[in-house]
């Protein structure tokens, strides 16, 4: 972008000069002619001084937080290296996407320097910051030039994570302890056989005894194929939520935030966790590594309602988990009656729009239930679903 134009003052000055020149010829008043020519010349000279200099530059952005959560504030630092004839004066502004808000503008300090501002995450998604726009004007404010510099920078806004109270310490076969994970393999003892190292494998999983025996790098396969101790299901079937529009659906946003919060709560309690949607697609697998957390948060940054739901027994798989959390939107009594707990030791159902008797019917079928107020405290809904699990499994 490189826009050149007269300001409102400059345009008014030019028009006044033209009118005075015309009036001077009509009434034969030479002084008016001089004034008119001066008023015409001033904006033209101002435009020449602003439009003529060639400018180029580079902009390097650094964001203090790689993944910015909704409601979180991050600092953006921009190193600007501008090459120009003369010292430009004016204002700068950085182009912000709808995913963030902030005061990204100010007086431009000179040819080069570092500009800083804060942004707050306001809606999930992956978008771009930039480019930087420099607006320069002449000393009389008659001509202006807006020019974009530098590349854009990707910014990822992830769901807000809230602190949730823990479940009972011993729920399910594993009880939330990593030591029992190898006893919950999905395919039997064959999964304990080390496999050759492949590009991308973490070196923390190298099986040193097998490596020494075979002479080639080998890795433990059971960590990759171990069944999860806990499962969090985000029901994003299109029928459960409002029609997507320009603005985010508060109910779905609350569900995504609760999904992320529940998964991270289980990890803190020592569980391995699978996060899936109601169609069976894996959104993230948490096994205690930081990369797993980031991968899940990025996946949840872009998730939207779509598709149809499947039977939970198919979604969860063959091995029943300990805790099972199912987060949904609109649900009626008939849907609740068909909702299987998939053999989970502690099934929890949280719905943003449960219809009459839906939660009561689900409770009869073994679910610990709670209604979620999208605009309220999500941790309260989580706490409301805990007492049944405590009474049944402690």
């Amino acid at each position: 972008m490189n826009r050149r134009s007269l300001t409102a003052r400059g345009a008014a000055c030019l028009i006044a000069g033209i009118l005075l020149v015309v009036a001077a010829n009509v009434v034969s008043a030479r002084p008016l002619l001089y004034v008119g020519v001066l008023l015409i010349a001033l904006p033209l000279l101002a435009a020449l001084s602003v439009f003529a200099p060639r400018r180029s530059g580079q902009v390097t952005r650094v964001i203090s937080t790689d993944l910015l959560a909704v409601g979180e504030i991050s600092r953006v630092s921009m190193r600007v290296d501008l090459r120009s004839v003369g010292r430009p004066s004016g204002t700068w502004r950085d182009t912000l996407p709808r995913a963030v808000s902030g005061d990204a503008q100010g007086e431009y300090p000179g040819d080069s320097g570092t500009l800083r501002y804060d942004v707050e995450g306001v809606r999930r998604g992956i978008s771009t910051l930039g480019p930087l726009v420099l607006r320069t004007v002449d000393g009389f404010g008659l001509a202006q030039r807006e020019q974009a510099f530098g590349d854009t920078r990707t910014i990822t806004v992830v769901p807000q994570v809230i602190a949730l109270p823990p479940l009972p310490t011993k729920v399910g076969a594993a009880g939330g302890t990593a030591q029992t994970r190898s006893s919950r393999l999905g395919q039997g003892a064959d999964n304990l056989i080390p496999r050759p190292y492949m590009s991308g494998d973490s070196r923390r999983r190298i099986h040193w005894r097998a490596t020494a025996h075979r002479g080639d790098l080998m890795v433990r396969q059971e960590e990759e194929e171990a069944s999860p101790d806990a499962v969090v299901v985000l029901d994003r079937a299109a029928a459960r939520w409002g029609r997507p529009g320009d603005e985010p659906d508060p109910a779905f946003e609350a569900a995504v935030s609760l999904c992320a919060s529940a998964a991270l709560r289980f990890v803190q309690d020592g569980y391995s966790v699978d996060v899936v949607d109601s169609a069976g697609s894996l959104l993230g697998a948490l096994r205690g590594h930081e990369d797993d957390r980031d991968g899940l948060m990025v996946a949840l940054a872009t998730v939207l309602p779509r598709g149809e739901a499947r039977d939970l027994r198919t979604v969860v798989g063959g091995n029943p988990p300990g805790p099972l959390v199912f987060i949904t939107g609109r649900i009626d009594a008939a849907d609740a009656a068909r909702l299987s707990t998939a053999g989970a030791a502690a099934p929890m159902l949280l719905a943003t729009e449960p219809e009459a008797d839906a939660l009561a019917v689900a409770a009869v079928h073994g679910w610990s239930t709670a209604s979620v107020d999208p605009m309220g405290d999500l941790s309260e809904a989580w706490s409301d679903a805990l007492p049944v699990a405590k009474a049944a499994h402690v």
Side-chain angles (χ1 to χ4, degrees):
M1 180 184 73
N2 195 353
R3 299 174 182 170
R4 301 176 174 90
S5 64
L6 295 177
T7 64
R9 180 187 299 176
C13 183
L14 181 62
I15 293 173
I18 295 174
L19 293 177
L20 286 177
V21 169
V22 172
N25 289 326
V26 171
V27 299
S28 299
R30 187 175 295 272
L32 291 180
L33 179 62
Y34 295 152
V35 175
V37 170
L38 178 62
L39 292 179
I40 293 174
L42 279 176
L44 295 180
L45 292 175
L48 182 63
S49 66
V50 173
F51 300 165
R54 300 185 60 181
R55 295 176 187 148
S56 61
Q58 294 181 341
V59 178
T60 305
R61 289 177 181 81
V62 176
I63 306 174
S64 62
T65 305
D66 291 335
L67 300 180
L68 178 65
V70 172
E72 184 180 5
I73 295 177
S74 182
R75 171 60 60 94
V76 179
S77 299
M78 295 187 298
R79 174 63 187 179
V80 182
D81 295 312
L82 184 63
R83 295 177 292 276
S84 173
V85 177
R87 185 182 180 89
S89 62
T91 60
W92 64 271
R93 60 179 173 85
D94 207 10
T95 307
L96 299 183
R98 297 179 65 184
V100 299
S101 64
D103 186 15
Q105 59 186 348
E107 294 291 330
Y108 188 72
D111 293 342
S112 300
T114 301
L115 308 174
R116 297 180 177 88
Y117 63 92
D118 293 333
V119 293
E120 179 181 1
V122 295
R123 60 191 300 178
R124 293 181 303 112
I126 300 176
S127 49
T128 56
L129 289 176
L132 174 70
V133 177
L134 176 61
R135 178 179 180 268
T136 55
V137 296
D138 68 286
F140 296 102
L142 302 178
Q144 63 182 354
R145 177 181 181 180
E146 286 191 349
Q147 187 174 359
F149 294 94
D151 298 327
T152 59
R153 166 70 187 270
T154 299
I155 185 169
T156 302
V157 180
V158 301
Q160 183 181 29
V161 175
I162 58 174
L164 299 177
L167 266 67
T169 55
K170 293 182 179 180
V171 175
T177 56
Q179 289 80 0
T180 62
R181 188 182 304 162
S182 61
S183 67
R184 296 172 55 81
L185 298 178
Q187 303 297 328
D190 289 343
N191 288 329
L192 293 172
I193 299 175
R195 62 169 175 80
Y197 174 86
M198 294 187 298
S199 177
D201 286 334
S202 172
R203 289 188 171 269
R204 290 176 292 185
R205 294 177 52 225
I206 293 177
H207 195 302
W208 294 109
R209 182 176 297 179
T211 297
H213 177 70
R214 301 194 182 189
D216 296 316
L217 278 178
M218 307 295 291
V219 295
R220 296 186 301 273
Q221 189 165 330
E222 76 278 4
E223 288 191 14
E224 182 177 297
E225 298 186 2
S227 297
D229 298 326
V231 175
V232 179
V233 182
L234 175 63
D235 184 4
R236 57 171 177 155
R240 306 290 191 197
W241 310 99
R243 177 173 294 182
D246 293 336
E247 296 300 322
D249 178 6
F252 188 73
E253 295 304 308
V256 175
S257 178
L258 192 54
C259 174
S261 303
L264 296 182
R265 173 71 265 176
F266 287 145
V267 169
Q268 292 174 13
D269 292 340
Y271 292 96
S272 62
V273 187
D274 274 3
V275 181
V276 298
D277 65 13
S278 52
S281 299
L282 183 67
L283 299 176
L286 305 182
R287 301 296 184 261
H289 304 311
E290 186 67 21
D291 290 345
D292 295 343
R293 178 191 184 279
D294 291 348
L296 171 65
M297 299 304 287
V298 171
L300 292 179
T302 57
V303 68
L304 295 172
R306 70 171 190 181
E308 300 294 333
R310 293 165 53 186
D311 187 274
L312 265 186
R313 288 167 293 190
T314 304
V315 172
V316 172
N319 293 323
L324 168 63
V325 177
F326 186 78
I327 304 169
T328 188
R330 287 190 295 266
I331 184 172
D332 56 27
D335 292 331
R338 293 190 296 266
L339 195 59
S340 168
T341 61
M348 300 171 60
L349 170 65
L350 297 108
T352 61
E353 294 184 59
E355 297 186 7
D357 298 329
L359 296 185
V361 171
V364 171
H365 287 77
W367 290 93
S368 175
T369 65
S371 177
V372 179
D373 179 4
M375 308 307 294
D377 187 352
L378 300 184
S379 64
E380 290 185 3
W382 176 264
S383 298
D384 290 343
L386 292 182
V388 173
K390 289 180 179 179
H393 302 290
V394 172

